[in-house]
């Protein structure tokens, strides 16, 4: 059943489960790669700096030994160089000290490490040695690039695997969902079948099958009970109708006759519903003029109803291949329901293969539009409000004909039942 569209927020964009799982796997892989890359970068950078400091300190030790013995400077050693950091210009003691200089090296190119030590007393010059870190930092950069490329390659290889694995899971869940949808549509024989894997999806599939078995048993029991009750009531109701004919004419006889006829109609409706539920009904198709069949069905109801044939049909009546008896049953039930629960005027429009029954009453209840008609369901506000077996039979007969019956409410008020016959 499709109600008229109502203004509101747009439906959210549906993203398949496989892409959500693949995106989650890709994001997790990116986070792991980033964390590993940062840890490797920090550890390698500290190791490079530590090695440079050790090299600078050892080179300064050798240069200081040569300077104190010969007064000569070895290659790379300098006395009070201009680029020496301020913290190393006048050391407070005679020990060797190192400092990282991120500004530039002695040649104005890359950062490096300085090692400095006083040559003698407090006022003596400072001997310094500089170790450039340009080659080492270049190696660190190459390591970062290599790890980034390796992470991208691993991500590119892992994403298709994640999509494939997520697709397998999504297909299993889709199979369970399709089975549940078929069960909700009335196919009580639908089952998910054996599901591989001892995981939660297999548990859900087994639960759906158990639910279908239990629901099937319960519905079959109810259908048998309805059919048995209707069959058992048929004989006493017939006897009551025959007994009423023996009563003398009068008000009592008329009242009893009306009530017995109502009871007989209810029994016949129950038998018809039981046959529809059991799938025992088979249409007897014939080629008939649709407008004439609909007009005849409306006439048999004896209720004031306007029948209109669409202008698109032209002068030649539209003929359809269908079961005219079942079609009359559907149209008659819809017209009776419109008069009984709706409001005048009731209009029937035939256009092409579509029959529309429209009233101007309060419209169908919201629970009917959501879940369809329920048997013996009546409103609590007043006797007779709601709906009973008429719409249920109309929907069942429409399914037998292969037609579509949609129930909705018109925007300006009133109930609208639309029957579309198959081509």
């Amino acid at each position: 059943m499709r109600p008229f569209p109502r203004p509101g927020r747009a439906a959210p964009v549906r993203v398949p489960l496989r892409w959500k799982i693949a995106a989650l796997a890709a994001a997790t892989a990116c986070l792991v790669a980033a964390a590993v890359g940062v840890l490797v970068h920090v550890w390698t950078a500290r190791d490079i700096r530590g090695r440079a400091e050790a090299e600078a300190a050892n080179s300064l030790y050798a240069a200081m030994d040569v300077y104190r013995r010969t007064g000569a400077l070895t290659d790379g050693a300098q006395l009070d160089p201009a680029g020496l950091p301020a913290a190393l210009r006048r050391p407070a003691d005679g020990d060797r000290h190192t400092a990282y200089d991120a500004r530039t090296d002695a040649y104005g190119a890359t950062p490096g490490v300085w090692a400095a030590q006083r040559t003698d007393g407090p006022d003596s010059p400072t001997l310094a040695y500089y170790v450039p870190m340009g080659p080492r930092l270049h190696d660190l950069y190459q390591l970062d690039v290599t790890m980034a490329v390796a992470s991208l390659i691993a991500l590119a290889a892992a994403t298709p695997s994640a999509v494939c694995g997520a697709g397998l899971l999504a297909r299993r869940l889709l199979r369970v969902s399709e089975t549940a949808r078929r069960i909700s549509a009335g196919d009580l024989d639908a089952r998910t079948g054996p599901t591989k894997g001892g995981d939660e999806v297999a548990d859900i599939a087994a639960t759906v099958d158990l639910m279908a078995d239990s629901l099937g048993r319960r519905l079959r029991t109810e259908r048998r009970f309805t059919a048995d009750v209707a069959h058992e009531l048929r004989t006493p109701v017939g006897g009551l109708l025959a007994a009423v004919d023996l009563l003398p004419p009068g008000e009592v006889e008329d009242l009893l006759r009306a009530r017995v006829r109502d009871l007989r109609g209810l029994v016949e409706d129950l038998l018809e519903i039981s046959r529809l539920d059991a799938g025992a009904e088979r249409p007897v198709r014939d080629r008939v003029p649709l407008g004439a069949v609909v007009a005849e069905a409306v006439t048999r109801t004896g209720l004031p109803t306007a029948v209109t044939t669409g202008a698109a049909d032209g002068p030649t009546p539209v003929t359809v291949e269908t079961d005219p008896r079942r079609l009359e049953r559907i149209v008659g039930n819809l017209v009776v329901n419109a008069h009984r629960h709706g409001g005048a005027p009731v209009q029937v429009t035939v256009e092409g293969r579509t029959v529309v029954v429209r009233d101007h009453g309060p419209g169908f209840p919201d629970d009917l539009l959501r879940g369809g008609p329920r048997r013996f369901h009546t409103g609590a506000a007043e006797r007779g409000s709601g709906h009973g077996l008429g719409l249920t039979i109309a929907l069942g007969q429409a399914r037998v004909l292969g037609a579509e019956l949609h129930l909705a409410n018109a925007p300006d008020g009133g109930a609208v039942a639309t029957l579309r016959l198959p081509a």
Side-chain angles (χ1 to χ4, degrees), residues 353-393:
R353 296 178 176 273
T354 303
V355 180
V356 179
V357 179
R358 161 79 188 275
D359 65 58
H360 293 77
F364 291 116
D366 291 337
D367 58 344
L368 184 150
L369 297 179
R370 287 193 301 267
R374 289 178 291 168
R375 304 166 190 178
F376 305 107
H377 174 73
T378 56
E382 56 178 335
R383 178 179 177 83
S385 63
H387 53 278
L389 301 180
L391 290 180
T392 304
I393 292 175

Side-chain angles (χ1 to χ4, degrees), residues 20-82:
K20 292 181 180 179
I21 296 178
L24 179 61
T28 303
C30 289
L31 289 176
V32 171
V36 172
V38 169
L39 290 176
V40 171
H41 176 86
V42 171
W43 182 86
T44 305
R46 288 182 179 179
D47 181 69
I48 289 175
R49 183 170 175 175
R51 290 175 180 273
E53 290 176 352
E55 180 182 348
N58 293 334
S59 299
L60 178 62
Y61 176 81
M64 182 63 73
D65 182 64
V66 173
Y67 179 78
R68 286 177 177 174
R69 286 188 293 103
T70 64
L73 296 175
T74 60
D75 292 339
Q78 306 175 59
L79 287 175
D80 293 330

Side-chain angles (χ1 to χ4, degrees), residues 251-270:
E251 182 178 353
V252 175
E253 188 265 347
D254 293 339
L255 180 62
L256 287 176
R257 184 183 298 275
R259 292 294 179 264
V260 172
R261 286 178 177 174
D262 290 342
L263 182 58
R264 184 177 64 176
L266 176 61
V267 172
E268 296 297 331
D269 287 345
L270 288 175

Side-chain angles (χ1 to χ4, degrees), residues 190-248:
R191 296 294 185 274
T192 59
T195 303
K196 298 180 181 179
D199 51 11
E200 289 81 359
V201 178
D203 295 339
I204 294 175
T207 303
V208 170
D209 287 346
L210 290 176
M211 178 193 68
D213 292 337
S214 176
L215 182 62
R217 288 193 298 269
R218 181 174 300 180
L219 288 179
R220 282 190 291 270
T221 300
E222 292 179 357
R223 289 172 179 175
R224 283 196 301 269
F225 175 77
T226 302
D228 293 343
V229 169
H231 277 290
E232 293 298 327
L233 286 176
R234 223 174 173 184
T235 300
V237 168
L240 283 175
L241 190 59
V244 169
D245 292 336
L246 301 178
L247 293 176

Side-chain angles (χ1 to χ4, degrees), residues 2-7 358-363 369 408-416:
R2 300 175 183 173
F4 280 83
R6 299 178 180 178
R358 161 79 188 275
D359 65 58
H360 293 77
L369 297 179
N409 289 329
D412 56 344
V416 180

